[in-house]
Amino acid sequence: MNVEEIVMKIITHSGNAKSDAVEAIQAAKGKDIAAANELIEKSEAELLHAHHVQTSLIQNEACGNKAEVTLFLVYAQDHLMNAITFKDLAKEFVELYESMNK
């Protein structure tokens, strides 16, 4: 897999993860905590896929095959970090809505 393919996979999985996290908040807001928790799990699974792809870049560099640092690569990394942060916050929102609805 070339760097462009790796970057696109990171962006795709990160975007899916963030979308799932947004939907989780909306589900919790609508008092559907079970659906919200399922969406958080989906978000975490997407992030795991993105992390595995990211790890391939790290492994390649460790073997001496350095990737050229492009704006595209930086954007992918930024997108991944934002998705992780958003998922973490969404998890907190789901827990908050759950406790408010008890």
Side-chain angles (χ1 to χ4, degrees), residues 4-65:
E4 289 81 14
E5 290 173 319
I6 291 170
V7 166
M8 285 307 298
K9 285 182 181 276
I10 292 170
I11 291 169
T12 300
H13 288 298
S14 299
N16 290 344
K18 187 176 177 188
S19 293
D20 290 337
V22 169
E23 287 182 39
I25 293 170
Q26 294 303 315
K29 189 175 180 180
K31 299 182 181 181
D32 191 349
I33 302 302
N37 284 322
E38 285 178 23
L39 286 159
I40 291 292
E41 287 178 19
K42 280 181 64 180
S43 178
E44 289 173 338
E46 287 288 345
L47 288 171
L48 185 60
H49 287 300
H51 177 71
H52 286 301
V53 175
Q54 179 191 45
T55 299
S56 69
L57 276 175
I58 295 166
Q59 289 172 336
N60 281 337
E61 188 157 327
C63 292
N65 304 319

Side-chain angles (χ1 to χ4, degrees), residues 72-83:
F72 200 38
L73 179 57
V74 171
Y75 173 74
Q77 291 298 117
D78 184 53
H79 203 53
L80 175 57
M81 295 308 300
N82 282 320

